[in-house]
Amino acid sequence: MSQPLSALRKFVSPEIIFGAGSRHSVGNYASNFGARKVLVVSDPGVQAAGWVADVEASLQANDLDYCLYTQVSPNPRVEEVMQGAELYRSEGCNVIVAVGGGSPMDCAKGIGIVVAHGRSILEFEGVDTIRVPSPPLILIPTTAGTSADVSQFVIISNQQERMKFSIVSKAVVPDVSLIDPETTLSMDPFLSACTGIDALVHAIEAFVSTGSGPLTDSHALEAMRLINGNLVQMIANPTDIVLREKIMLGSMQAGLAFSNAILGAVHAMSHSLGGFLDLPHGLCNAALVEHVVAFNYSAAPERFKVIAETFGIDCRGLTSNQMRERLVQHLIGFKRAVGFTEHLGGQGVSLADIPFLSRHAMEDPCILTNPRQSSQRDVEVVYAEAL
């Protein structure tokens, strides 16, 4: 009996240059875009690590003028995007380069949207709201996890409303992504764990998403294999560039998967949580992941079985409930192995906060592709379990 044909799927991706030293080619790519003056977006930590200096040297070697914008918070804020856009305009820039983790990269994407449209970044929340192409955008990730360098997502923090909002559009997929595992050498163990868990959750959620398909499944599964098999060792051996390359590749593959299949309830809830308490995104994912997997399991048991097998769990002879429990315990054990034991209660979340958090999670685009249809009450229960 023949299998039914897959539904139509699209796949978007930047031009990707992967490998040690790729950051040094940024000047060449900026020149190819006809750069007159480049806005370099980063943050103080990345600048202190020396990665911004490498970008400056490459731009100088190609006789390109540039200016720096490094006032970016760990969760990039509306006002930081607007200030960056004002600098871009006042300096006469025509190309944007970001070097850093998800925060500088998302901020740079936001700046591109604002300068193209001449309007507040707040006006672009949601899916496919962008009408004008952004300036050429080159991203250089310095963490292995957020995958902002390959995705069609922008996540911005609205501090006045205490919430994060998402912009989803193929218009924010960067033109070029220079993915250089050497840049992750400056990550401390906590950041390595945060971003690694984020990438793992990207892969899991993309694989069980209602938007998944053959174009994304292979990327999601390979990302799970690489991260599950190498993250613990990488954190224990932080100078091992081969392990860093494997994790960086896993992060990239997870990014390609979730950018096209979208995500699920972990990220919808994590965005709400991170906006409310300004917490690290990976920590929010880590506190929620096993609770959401347990909630979603019954909606996609065959898919979760494949995930379990990819993690090396022997599923032979197990009932569906036993497989779910094995997978949940594997995730808990993996989190502990990379240093995560946090619960939401320890991060300042109380029962009284849950209705607010749940309401905003239900408004996040990621909830739409969660494999199990979720009500606000469902989300409230999962938050409560994670306390």
Side-chain angles (χ1 to χ4, degrees), residues 1 21 41 55 101 119 167 172 199 208 231 250 270 288 311 318 348 354:
M1 186 175 169
V41 182
V55 170
R119 290 153 52 199
I167 300 169
V172 301
V208 298
L231 184 62
S270 185
L288 293 164
F311 287 156
L318 298 182
I354 287 177

Side-chain angles (χ1 to χ4, degrees), residues 366-383:
C366 294
I367 204 76
L368 299 174
T369 45
N370 193 62
R372 182 173 170 183
Q373 206 162 14
S374 312
S375 67
Q376 183 172 324
R377 179 61 188 150
D378 291 330
V379 174
E380 288 174 354
V381 169
V382 176
Y383 271 130

Side-chain angles (χ1 to χ4, degrees), residues 273-290:
L273 189 59
F276 184 61
L277 290 174
D278 204 24
L279 294 170
H281 177 61
L283 186 149
C284 297
N285 282 342
L288 293 164
V289 59
E290 74 268 23

Side-chain angles (χ1 to χ4, degrees), residues 28 47 57 60-61 69 73 161 163 178 184 201 258-259 280 288 320 351 357 379:
N28 180 54
Q47 191 171 20
Q60 290 164 3
Y69 179 63
S73 301
E161 301 290 331
M163 59 175 284
L178 304 175
T184 68
V201 175
F258 91 76
S259 178
L288 293 164
S320 186
L351 277 172
L357 293 170
V379 174

Side-chain angles (χ1 to χ4, degrees), residues 273 277 279-280 283-284 287 341-350 387:
L273 189 59
L277 290 174
L279 294 170
L283 186 149
C284 297
T341 56
E342 287 86 351
H343 298 281
L344 294 186
Q347 299 301 317
V349 182
S350 71
L387 282 178

Side-chain angles (χ1 to χ4, degrees), residues 124-340:
F124 298 94
E125 180 178 1
V127 180
D128 293 334
T129 59
I130 296 171
R131 299 288 171 261
V132 182
S134 293
L137 181 63
I138 303 169
L139 300 188
I140 305 169
T142 61
T143 62
T146 69
S147 300
D149 48 294
V150 297
S151 82
Q152 56 178 329
F153 277 71
V154 185
I155 310 296
I156 304 296
S157 181
N158 181 345
Q159 290 288 296
Q160 287 188 316
E161 301 290 331
R162 293 188 73 183
M163 59 175 284
K164 286 183 175 181
F165 63 94
S166 303
I167 300 169
V168 187
S169 170
K170 67 179 181 181
V172 301
V173 176
D175 297 283
V176 175
S177 182
L178 304 175
I179 304 178
D180 186 341
E182 287 180 348
T183 64
T184 68
L185 287 165
S186 55
M187 289 198 297
D188 61 36
F190 177 73
L191 184 57
S192 295
C194 276
T195 53
I197 290 287
D198 190 20
L200 189 68
V201 175
H202 287 158
I204 293 169
E205 292 212 291
F207 190 71
V208 298
S209 161
T210 58
S212 65
L215 292 175
T216 57
D217 284 353
S218 56
H219 288 295
L221 290 172
E222 180 63 3
M224 285 183 239
R225 189 187 68 80
L226 285 165
I227 297 163
N228 182 71
N230 294 286
L231 184 62
V232 174
Q233 294 92 319
M234 188 203 81
I235 291 171
N237 301 278
T239 59
D240 189 325
I241 195 65
V242 174
L243 288 173
R244 289 203 171 274
E245 185 174 73
K246 288 177 180 178
I247 295 299
M248 200 69 157
L249 185 61
S251 170
M252 184 202 78
Q253 299 241 39
L256 291 171
F258 91 76
S259 178
N260 291 282
I262 316 303
L263 292 158
V266 178
H267 272 80
M269 296 171 70
S270 185
H271 291 154
S272 178
L273 189 59
F276 184 61
L277 290 174
D278 204 24
L279 294 170
H281 177 61
L283 186 149
C284 297
N285 282 342
L288 293 164
V289 59
E290 74 268 23
H291 303 286
V292 175
V293 166
F295 171 78
N296 281 337
Y297 195 97
S298 62
E302 289 305 312
R303 293 232 135 203
F304 279 112
K305 180 182 178 183
V306 173
I307 291 172
E309 290 171 340
T310 302
F311 287 156
I313 299 169
D314 186 353
C315 297
R316 291 173 297 181
L318 298 182
T319 66
S320 186
N321 283 341
Q322 288 171 327
M323 270 190 284
R324 180 185 66 181
E325 186 57 26
R326 288 272 182 93
L327 180 55
V328 164
Q329 290 305 316
H330 178 87
L331 290 169
I332 293 169
F334 185 79
K335 286 187 343 183
R336 286 177 180 156
V338 298
F340 276 117

